[in-house]
Amino acid sequence: MLNSMIGCAGGRFLFLSSGEVYGNNVGNIPFVETDAGSVNCTAVRACYPEAKRASETLCFAYNKQYGLHVNIARLCFVYGPTITAESTRADAQFLRFVLDGENIILHTAGTQRRTWCYVADAVAGILQILLSAKSGEVYNVAHENSVATIFEYATMLANIAGVRVCVEENVSVGGNSILDGTKLIKLGWAPQYDLETGLQHSYFIKKSP
């Protein structure tokens, strides 16, 4: 696709990357776009963030060599009613539980903090970058009013659905992934959904016939 874009006058290339390129937060300080981050490349799961990092580098190589208009959107934890039935992410499983009227089961304490983003806000952020961003810029697509732990996310969704959260093992695993979305907001992005509103939309849209 990059090769086909080179000859397209005025063309723009937007790569959808991930906040996982930063690794885990230290001290709960949100990542900004200039942070290099640190990923343990020996972990099996590292294949995903490392592939994203390599792809970002490839995009900027084309930008420098061919003058291709390139932007990077680093998405955080995007959720919503459009999530696929095949998704094995925790938030997707939570939604499936509550739609079936079942309690949410947590296999850990769920203490990892995440920056969540409702799908409609994520799409609006992507469009804002395509329409307004200068070439070579990177943007976190992250809503500051949607930062919560996995346990808090699950509890909020459970309360909306009228079920409970059950913690099977009260152990903490993993790290935090918090992104700063200030740069994209300054570009003109105005996210509309805080976490509770987004979860309400997700539940009632999926619940409706």
Side-chain angles (χ1 to χ4, degrees), residues 174-186:
N176 298 330
S177 182
I178 308 170
L179 277 60
D180 187 321
T182 302
K183 183 177 178 181
L184 184 54
I185 290 173
K186 288 181 177 178

Side-chain angles (χ1 to χ4, degrees), residues 61-170:
Y62 270 75
N63 171 259
K64 295 297 183 183
Q65 185 168 355
Y66 300 107
L68 179 64
H69 189 295
V70 166
N71 292 113
I72 307 294
R74 290 177 180 157
L75 299 166
C76 52
F77 289 80
V78 178
Y79 70 96
T82 55
I83 201 158
T84 64
E86 295 78 20
S87 177
T88 58
R89 282 186 4 179
D91 56 294
Q93 296 181 52
F94 297 164
L95 185 57
R96 285 194 285 269
F97 280 135
V98 301
L99 288 172
D100 291 336
E102 299 177 6
N103 294 329
I104 295 176
I105 307 298
L106 286 180
H107 300 290
T108 69
T111 55
Q112 309 99 307
R113 288 174 62 79
R114 300 280 186 261
T115 300
W116 308 89
C117 189
Y118 186 62
V119 62
D121 280 335
V123 172
I126 290 169
L127 289 174
Q128 189 69 55
I129 297 169
L130 283 169
L131 293 172
S132 307
K134 294 181 180 179
S135 182
E137 294 295 327
V138 179
Y139 295 90
N140 291 334
V141 184
H143 189 355
E144 64 180 359
N145 291 331
S146 292
V147 177
T149 66
I150 293 176
F151 178 80
E152 290 168 341
Y153 180 102
T155 300
M156 194 174 294
L157 180 59
N159 289 339
I160 292 169
V163 297
R164 297 185 299 112
V165 175
C166 302
V167 180
E168 288 193 342
E169 296 184 49
N170 194 22

